[in-house]
C-alpha cells in the first residue's frame, strides 16, 4: 500500500494536467477572492481564516475532483489494472494506496493556498494564531470534504465516463453549497450531508456571516423555515457537527467500497 501511495503521489505531481487545472482554478479563485482580500486581511484572525476557507471551498474542490476522476479508469484503459491485480498489493491495499496518493498530491495546492493566505495574514497583522485557526479549520471542514470528493471522483467514473462525472459534479457541488439558498431551492445546503461543512463552520468556529439568500448574518446549519430537506437539518450542536463530519467519512468509505466491488467484477 505504501509503495502504491508513493508511486501515485509522484505520478500525480508530475502530470502537466494537474498544474494546468490548478492554474485555471487559482485564476477563478482570484477573481472570487481578490477584491475581498484587502478587507479580509483586516478582519480578526478567526473571521479572516473561516472566510478564506469558505471562499476556497467552492472552486478548489472542483479542480480537485476533475484531476482525480480518471485515475482508476485509466488503469483499466491502458491494461495496467490486470497486471497490478496479479501483484501482492492487489485489492483493497492498492486501492487505498492509490486513493491516499491521489488525495495527498492533488490536495497539496489547496493546502498551499490556505496556508499561504494564513501566512500573509499572520505577517501583516503579527497574528500567528491565524495559522492555528487555519489548521483547525482545514482539519474540521476541508479535509473531510476532500476525502469525500476524492472517493467520489475515483468511484463514480467506474460507472459513468469521467467527462460525464465532471459535468455532474460541478452541478452537484454548486447545488450543495452556500451559493444556493434553501428557502428558494431544494438543496442539501445547511444539512448534515452538506460537503461544504456548514455544521462545523457554525458550531466549532461560531461563524454566522451572510451567504446566498441570507441578506445578512445567517445560520450555516440547521432548519430553514419552509425549506425542503429539513429532516436532515437537525439543531446545530457539538453532536450534529461531529455527525456531519462522520457522514462525510462514512460516504467516503461507501464510495471506495463501490470502487473495489466494480474493480473486482471487471477483473472476473
Amino acid at each position: 500500500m505504501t509503495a502504491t501511495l508513493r508511486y501515485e503521489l509522484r505520478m500525480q505531481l508530475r502530470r502537466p494536467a494537474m498544474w494546468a487545472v490548478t492554474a485555471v482554478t487559482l485564476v477563478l479563485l482570484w477573481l472570487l477572492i481578490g477584491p475581498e482580500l484587502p478587507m479580509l486581511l483586516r478582519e480578526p484572525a478567526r473571521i479572516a481564516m473561516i472566510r478564506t476557507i469558505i471562499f476556497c471551498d467552492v472552486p478548489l474542490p472542483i479542480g480537485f475532483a476533475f484531476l482525480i476522476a480518471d485515475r482508476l479508469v485509466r488503469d483499466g484503459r491502458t491494461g495496467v489494472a490486470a497486471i497490478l491485480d496479479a501483484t501482492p498489493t492487489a485489492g483493497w491495499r492498492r486501492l487505498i494506496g492509490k486513493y491516499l496518493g491521489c488525495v495527498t498530491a492533488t490536495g497539496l495546492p489547496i493546502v498551499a493556498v490556505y496556508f499561504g493566505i494564513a501566512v500573509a495574514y499572520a505577517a501583516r497583522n503579527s497574528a500567528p494564531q491565524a495559522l492555528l485557526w487555519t489548521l483547525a479549520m482545514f482539519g474540521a471542514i476541508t479535509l473531510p470534504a476532500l476525502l469525500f470528493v476524492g472517493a467520489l471522483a475515483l468511484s463514480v467514473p467506474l460507472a459513468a465516463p469521467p467527462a460525464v462525472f465532471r459535468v455532474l459534479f460541478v452541478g452537484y457541488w454548486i447545488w450543495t453549497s452556500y451559493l444556493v439558498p434553501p428557502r428558494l431551492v431544494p438543496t442539501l445546503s445547511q444539512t448534515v450531508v452538506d460537503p461544504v461543512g456548514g455544521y462545523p463552520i457554525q458550531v466549532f468556529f461560531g461563524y454566522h456571516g451572510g451567504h446566498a439568500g441570507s441578506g445578512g448574518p445567517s445560520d450555516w446549519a440547521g432548519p430553514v423555515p419552509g425549506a425542503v430537506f429539513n429532516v436532515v437539518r437537525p439543531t446545530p450542536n457539538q453532536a450534529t457537527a461531529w455527525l456531519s463530519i462522520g457522514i462525510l467519512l462514512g460516504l467516503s468509505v461507501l464510495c471506495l467500497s463501490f470502487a473495489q466491488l466494480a474493480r473486482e467484477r471487471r477483473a472476473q
Side-chain angles (χ1 to χ4, degrees):
M1 184 179 76
T2 304
T4 304
L5 190 157
R6 289 199 303 265
Y7 173 78
E8 192 65 34
L9 181 66
R10 290 196 303 268
M11 185 193 310
Q12 193 78 331
L13 289 174
R14 291 172 180 172
R15 288 177 70 194
M18 174 173 166
W19 300 108
V21 171
T22 299
V24 171
T25 307
L26 290 177
V27 169
L28 293 175
L29 177 63
W30 176 255
L31 294 176
L32 178 67
I33 199 175
E36 301 285 337
L37 200 55
M39 183 175 66
L40 196 67
L41 293 174
R42 292 194 295 269
E43 298 272 13
R46 177 179 62 85
I47 299 300
M49 295 305 101
I50 195 67
R51 291 188 66 203
T52 297
I53 293 285
I54 289 168
F55 275 129
C56 294
D57 274 0
V58 172
L60 293 187
I62 291 177
F64 179 87
F66 274 42
L67 288 165
I68 294 179
D70 66 344
R71 299 315 299 150
L72 276 181
V73 295
R74 182 179 179 277
D75 286 352
R77 189 170 60 245
T78 58
V80 173
I83 298 173
L84 294 176
D85 285 340
T87 67
T89 57
W92 268 103
R93 286 181 296 173
R94 183 162 65 85
L95 176 63
I96 296 301
K98 179 174 282 288
Y99 167 66
L100 294 177
C102 284
V103 168
T104 302
T106 315
L108 284 176
I110 297 177
V111 173
V113 169
Y114 289 160
F115 283 90
I117 294 175
V119 168
Y121 180 96
R124 182 187 184 279
N125 297 288
S126 301
Q129 66 270 26
L131 298 173
L132 297 178
W133 279 118
T134 299
L135 183 62
M137 291 168 184
F138 182 84
I141 299 167
T142 305
L143 183 59
L146 293 183
L147 290 173
F148 166 63
V149 170
L152 192 70
L154 277 180
S155 60
V156 174
L158 294 173
V164 173
F165 164 77
R166 287 168 176 139
V167 171
L168 293 176
F169 180 79
V170 172
Y172 162 77
W173 197 251
I174 293 174
W175 175 63
T176 57
S177 76
Y178 58 86
L179 298 176
V180 179
R183 288 184 176 85
L184 303 179
V185 179
T187 173
L188 292 178
S189 177
Q190 296 185 221
T191 68
V192 288
V193 291
D194 166 14
V196 181
Y199 276 80
I201 286 173
Q202 181 165 318
V203 174
F204 294 153
F205 304 107
Y207 185 71
H208 290 268
H211 55 79
S214 69
S218 178
D219 288 335
W220 284 75
V224 177
V228 182
F229 302 134
N230 274 339
V231 67
V232 283
R233 291 189 181 98
T235 302
N237 53 44
Q238 291 282 332
T240 53
W242 283 112
L243 174 64
S244 179
I245 294 173
I247 286 174
L248 285 182
L249 298 179
L251 289 173
S252 302
V253 173
L254 189 63
C255 288
L256 291 175
S257 299
F258 168 79
Q260 180 60 19
L261 180 62
R263 290 172 64 250
E264 289 174 354
R265 287 187 175 180
R266 289 188 178 188
Q268 292 175 354

